[in-house]
Structure formats: C-alpha cells, structure tokens
Amino acid sequence: WYEFSVMSSGLFQIWAYDATGAHKKGYHLINSGGSTAIRMGNKTNVYAIVCSGNDLTLYINGVESASFSEKKYGFNKGKVGINVSSLNVIPIIVEFEYFDVQEP
C-alpha cells in the first residue's frame, strides 16, 4: 500500500509498504518534503490524496504539495484507511469532520 504521512511540523512523507516482498519487504520512503500549507497548532487541515494509475498527488488545504509518477511498486488496487498518531505529544485531541473516498 501507499501511505501518506503529514506532520504538524510542516513536513510530509509518502511511503510504499511492500507486504509480499516483491521488491523488498517493509516500508520504503518514496517521496518527502515540506509544505507551508500545513496549518500548525489547533487549526483545521484538509488533505486530499489522488491515486490514479501510477500518478500520486497530495493536496494540503487545496495546495498541490507533491505529485509524481510511482512505477517501482505499481500498486493499482487496494483498500483505503486513515490513521492519526501522536508519537510524543500528550494530551492530543483529533477530530474528523468527514472522510470521503471517490474513484478518480
């Protein structure tokens, strides 16, 4: 699967997880960067992720933050999930207004 991680520090990472070992089992960083579009602190963020064929695009608050063609892993079907974690900041409160999945 592909995994998009956005941190409150203004950084993001995009991973491929190879569960079968077709290339090399485990997590592999395939893109990373920073975005000034990430609203830090107690503010609302809107994330959109588009996976269309080999093209992966991450939007943060309406700003295209990463767009590239991924051909090494080529995951072309699968499921969708969402996760929130706080590695070392407590207490933390996270709320989701909505989670929407659509076919491109």
Side-chain angles (χ1 to χ4, degrees), residues 31-32 49:
N31 198 312
S32 64
I49 297 164

Side-chain angles (χ1 to χ4, degrees), residues 3 9 11 27-29 31 44-46 48 58 62-63 72 74 76 86 88 95-96 101:
E3 187 170 311
S9 64
L11 301 176
Y27 279 97
H28 307 280
L29 184 64
N31 198 312
T44 299
N45 287 284
V46 176
L58 169 65
V63 176
K72 180 174 181 179
N76 58 13
S86 173
N88 60 4
E95 296 177 1
F96 290 94
V101 178

Side-chain angles (χ1 to χ4, degrees), residues 18-76:
D18 184 355
T20 65
H23 294 278
K24 183 178 178 189
K25 199 169 189 172
Y27 279 97
H28 307 280
L29 184 64
I30 56 175
N31 198 312
S32 64
S35 174
T36 57
I38 299 170
R39 298 180 187 128
M40 298 180 199
N42 190 16
K43 297 184 180 164
T44 299
N45 287 284
V46 176
Y47 306 107
I49 297 164
V50 177
C51 301
S52 179
N54 292 329
D55 299 325
L56 305 177
T57 306
L58 169 65
Y59 297 92
I60 301 171
N61 296 314
V63 176
E64 185 178 298
S65 299
S67 185
F68 62 100
S69 187
E70 196 293 302
K71 295 179 182 169
K72 180 174 181 179
Y73 298 95
F75 304 139
N76 58 13

Side-chain angles (χ1 to χ4, degrees), residues 6-17:
V6 180
M7 282 75 67
S8 62
S9 64
L11 301 176
F12 65 83
Q13 299 172 330
I14 303 171
W15 301 84
Y17 181 75

